[in-house]
Amino acid sequence: MAGLAVNIDHIATLREARKAKYPDPIAAAVIAELAGADGIVCHLREDRRHVQDRDVRLLRKVIQSKLILEMAATSEMVGIALDVRPELVTLVPETREEVTTEGGMDLIVHNNIGETIGALQNNGIPVSIFIDPEPEQIKLAHQAGANMIEIHTGVFCEATGNAKRRQAFAKIVDAAKLAKKLKLGVNAGHGLCYQTIKAFTGLSEIDEFSIGHSIVSRAALVGMDRAVREMRDLINHL
Ligand code: PXP
């Protein structure tokens, strides 16, 4: 059965909208774990627009499952990761203007990513790279020494019309199968919601889904516990 890692960034977004003390992403993470999350994800961005350093450090102390730190491949972030020691680092591209991570990391451009991977792995931290479902990117992630990839599911989730959706999903399937052949772990995420997750029925190559916006949005209306349980239940039945 695939895992569910819950991204709590947007609890922090809500807090930062008022520069208030609440809602606290740590509280959300605890409730998510109690509701069945297999891990908690947060993205510490260079501009600290939502998650703060304090959140990452408290999450490390409080959560019982596993901490997945999304971060850009910068020396500042590597330093923080080595200090905090998450169970997994997911390397993501980051630009200041974007609303959220907009695409996978292009490993043709980031051709020295192996250095960052090595710096983390040499200190016992496994590394995943968030990439588009393209065979070349998967081979480059493998060559760079990544432990896992996270397949960017955003194009599929946003596709309109059956033909485009089918085409986008076929790329995800091929990517997951190729990655497994190369003995890479396979996570998937971005844009997944209570409808789009159903497409993954029978795709056993996915180890874990990383989901934030749809769960936090539902949580605002029905509560975090129910929002996580409902997603957990859908994943249990894939
Ligand atoms: N995976 C990665 C690498 C991401 O950057 C994000 C967004 O922070 C997610 C998964 C979760 O995406 P969403 O919030 O759309 O579920």
Side-chain angles (χ1 to χ4, degrees), residues 34-208:
L34 292 172
D38 301 292
I40 301 297
V41 190
C42 68
H43 182 176
L44 185 66
R45 297 185 74 101
E46 190 194 3
D47 62 11
R48 308 297 198 271
R49 73 169 69 150
H50 41 47
V51 171
Q52 306 296 312
D53 297 64
R54 163 265 187 208
D55 300 329
V56 180
R57 290 178 194 281
L58 274 178
L59 282 171
R60 172 69 296 169
K61 287 190 179 149
V62 169
I63 63 169
Q64 312 275 319
S65 56
K66 64 183 176 200
L67 175 62
I68 300 164
L69 179 62
E70 282 182 16
M71 58 177 231
T74 64
S75 52
E76 183 204 6
M77 288 301 154
V78 169
I80 292 171
L82 295 185
D83 201 26
V84 170
R85 308 198 62 77
E87 274 73 23
L88 180 72
V89 159
T90 301
L91 296 174
V92 298
E94 206 174 280
T95 58
R96 277 180 179 268
E97 302 76 29
E98 66 192 359
V99 175
T100 178
T101 315
E102 281 172 0
M105 186 170 265
D106 184 348
L107 298 181
I108 299 168
V109 176
H110 293 270
N111 56 10
N112 57 354
I113 199 74
E115 288 172 27
T116 304
I117 294 173
L120 293 161
Q121 287 175 341
N122 290 340
N123 287 282
I125 301 172
V127 181
S128 176
I129 314 184
F130 183 56
I131 50 174
D132 293 332
E134 298 293 342
E136 189 168 12
Q137 296 294 335
I138 293 155
K139 287 178 197 157
L140 288 171
H142 175 63
Q143 279 167 26
N147 303 85
M148 314 191 67
I149 57 161
E150 181 178 328
I151 299 175
H152 180 32
T153 52
V155 173
F156 160 68
C157 293
E158 283 161 27
T160 48
N162 281 342
K164 279 192 182 153
R165 284 171 67 84
R166 263 203 301 274
Q167 204 180 17
F169 194 72
K171 285 188 128 184
I172 293 174
V173 173
D174 291 348
K177 288 187 188 298
L178 173 59
K180 279 284 151 167
K181 226 180 186 174
L182 296 171
K183 309 229 179 303
L184 289 164
V186 183
N187 292 342
H190 211 282
L192 292 170
C193 70
Y194 295 79
Q195 295 304 319
T196 48
I197 194 72
K198 293 174 189 164
F200 290 80
T201 302
L203 185 60
S204 59
E205 282 80 4
I206 307 292
D207 294 310
E208 192 160 83

